[in-house]
Amino acid sequence: NRELGCLRHMFNMAIKWKKAQSNPVREVKFLKEPKEKDRILSEEEEKRLLEAVRLTTKSKHIEPIIITALNTGMRKGEILNLKWSNVDFKAEVIIVEGTKNGEIPKIPMNPKLTLTLESGKKVSKSEYVFSENGHPYGDVKTGWWTALKKAKIEGFRFHDLRHTFGTRLGMKGYDIKTIAELMGHKDIKMTMRYSHPTPEH
């Protein structure tokens, strides 16, 4: 697919420079690439990951970010751009704006997440929940991959924290409609994967 994309671009440029009259690969279809399989974090791996984060200087700042992802199912962009004004400690909910589907869901906070965010709020000097020098983190790749390596966890992406959240809800017996609402799914088909989460379960 990459090579085909390059060829298309080359011929388009050749047409622009009047070196060619048509693009012979314009109608060639890209091959369907296999979707990456969802990877679920086990409870034992979660303990190892959080322990690795706490013991690694480059990763310490992402502990509350991971806890938020595991306990809300929010996407990375939603978490990194989260503002304190969207965290309602009294009602114990997070109001998620700028979601992928345009909805503005309210995600309940469990005691672990509430305690984590309250601790962060006490020392924060920014309008953003997760920030550095007052600005939201652009990404957490360095801390994330460093922690995974130290914890010896393979084949796990940050987005899989969201899948772990949905899977755990399914394993606890939550109905599909509730899971869909919590994860911000407009199409219930996207949520069906969590109705029978794992062979072990």
Side-chain angles (χ1 to χ4, degrees), residues 33-169:
E33 294 184 4
K35 290 183 179 179
E36 289 187 69
K37 191 176 179 181
D38 296 342
R39 167 86 153 75
I40 308 304
L41 195 69
S42 70
E43 290 187 10
E44 190 271 333
E45 286 178 322
E46 180 184 343
K47 288 178 184 176
R48 276 175 22 217
L49 177 60
L50 291 176
E51 186 177 338
V53 165
R54 295 183 195 114
L55 296 174
T56 310
T57 306
K58 289 182 179 179
S59 307
K60 282 183 180 179
H61 65 288
I62 69 171
E63 181 182 357
I65 294 173
I66 292 172
I67 290 173
T68 301
L70 279 172
N71 291 279
T72 64
M74 291 168 64
R75 297 174 179 87
K76 182 167 66 174
E78 295 168 351
I79 294 171
L80 297 183
N81 289 295
L82 185 64
K83 295 181 179 180
W84 288 116
S85 57
N86 295 117
V87 181
D88 189 335
F89 288 107
K90 191 174 181 180
E92 295 183 328
V93 295
I94 291 175
I95 301 156
V96 187
E97 295 181 1
T99 57
K100 200 174 179 182
N101 63 17
E103 300 285 334
I104 304 180
K106 290 183 179 180
I107 302 177
M109 297 192 294
N110 60 19
K112 182 174 184 178
L113 179 58
T114 301
L115 186 62
T116 298
L117 295 184
E118 281 178 341
S119 298
K121 176 69 172 170
K122 289 176 184 176
V123 296
S124 177
K125 295 179 180 177
S126 170
E127 64 175 317
Y128 291 95
V129 177
F130 307 109
S131 65
E132 183 177 34
N133 301 322
H135 301 286
Y137 290 113
D139 210 330
V140 291
K141 285 180 182 176
T142 302
W144 173 251
W145 294 115
T146 301
L148 284 181
K149 188 176 180 181
K150 191 173 182 67
K152 296 180 180 176
I153 296 173
E154 297 180 355
F156 193 77
R157 306 160 298 171
F158 189 93
H159 192 71
D160 290 325
L161 294 173
R162 177 172 165 81
H163 296 309
T164 300
F165 170 78
T167 298
R168 289 179 178 178
L169 288 177

Side-chain angles (χ1 to χ4, degrees), residues 7-25:
L7 276 172
R8 282 187 177 183
H9 179 70
M10 284 171 60
F11 275 106
N12 286 337
M13 293 307 293
I15 293 169
K16 186 178 179 180
W17 296 331
K18 298 186 176 6
K19 299 291 183 181
Q21 293 182 343
S22 63
N23 187 337
V25 293

Side-chain angles (χ1 to χ4, degrees), residues 72 162-163 165-185 188 190-197:
T72 64
R162 177 172 165 81
H163 296 309
F165 170 78
T167 298
R168 289 179 178 178
L169 288 177
M171 290 171 71
K172 288 178 181 177
Y174 284 88
D175 62 273
I176 290 297
K177 188 173 184 296
T178 299
I179 298 174
E181 287 179 1
L182 290 173
M183 298 192 72
H185 288 164
I188 204 79
M190 295 176 69
T191 321
M192 291 306 293
R193 72 177 83 174
Y194 303 117
S195 58
H196 300 94

